[in-house]
Amino acid sequence: MVSVKLYGLTRCSTCLKALAWLEAQGVATVFQDYRDEPVAAAVLTQWAQALGGWEKLVNRASMTWRNLDQSLKSPATDQQWLALIAQYPALVRRPVTVYPDQTVSVGFNEKRFAEKLGVH
């Protein structure tokens, strides 16, 4: 059976849609709310690298980002990004999906999920 690990926030509507879709497709899913169980810095760094940079992992269109003090909006190092995410976990795009082959995606797109998981 195919299984994925989904990281997000329990009350996030996009995470709930992704979980419902995965369940309907018979895909076993482990969900981790990263506000309750923070993701290790090394894992966040791996995700950012896999996605093409911190800008792809962090949702800079979110209300959380828009409400940040301007001085926080230009982190230059991995450590600065990690400190920002530790303080504001809702900045991470949702959901983060880790597939069986250990590749990573952000957001929910039925077509991409179906292709990646080989389900219809």
Side-chain angles (χ1 to χ4, degrees):
M1 172 187 270
V2 177
S3 75
V4 297
K5 181 116 188 209
L6 218 62
Y7 297 82
L9 300 175
T10 304
R11 292 192 175 104
C12 170
S13 62
T14 306
C15 292
L16 295 174
K17 286 179 197 171
L19 285 166
W21 186 89
L22 290 163
E23 182 180 337
Q25 306 307 312
V27 176
T29 307
V30 175
F31 180 79
Q32 180 175 326
D33 184 316
Y34 49 67
R35 193 175 277 154
D36 295 339
E37 297 176 63
V39 176
V43 173
L44 288 168
T45 302
Q46 287 174 340
W47 290 351
Q49 289 171 349
L51 293 167
W54 291 102
E55 294 80 4
K56 304 282 187 191
L57 181 61
V58 171
N59 183 357
R60 296 185 302 164
S62 71
M63 189 61 77
T64 303
W65 180 267
R66 285 183 275 171
N67 289 334
L68 284 178
D69 187 271
Q70 197 61 36
S71 66
L72 298 174
K73 290 185 177 180
S74 38
T77 66
D78 287 351
Q79 293 311 98
Q80 289 172 337
W81 280 107
L82 290 165
L84 193 60
I85 291 169
Q87 190 170 358
Y88 303 99
L91 285 174
V92 176
R93 288 177 175 244
R94 302 182 293 271
V96 175
T97 306
V98 179
Y99 298 95
D101 64 2
Q102 298 307 301
T103 57
V104 178
S105 72
V106 289
F108 172 59
N109 177 292
E110 287 183 23
K111 183 179 179 193
R112 182 181 62 224
F113 271 42
E115 287 172 0
K116 192 71 181 157
L117 297 168
V119 297
H120 305 312

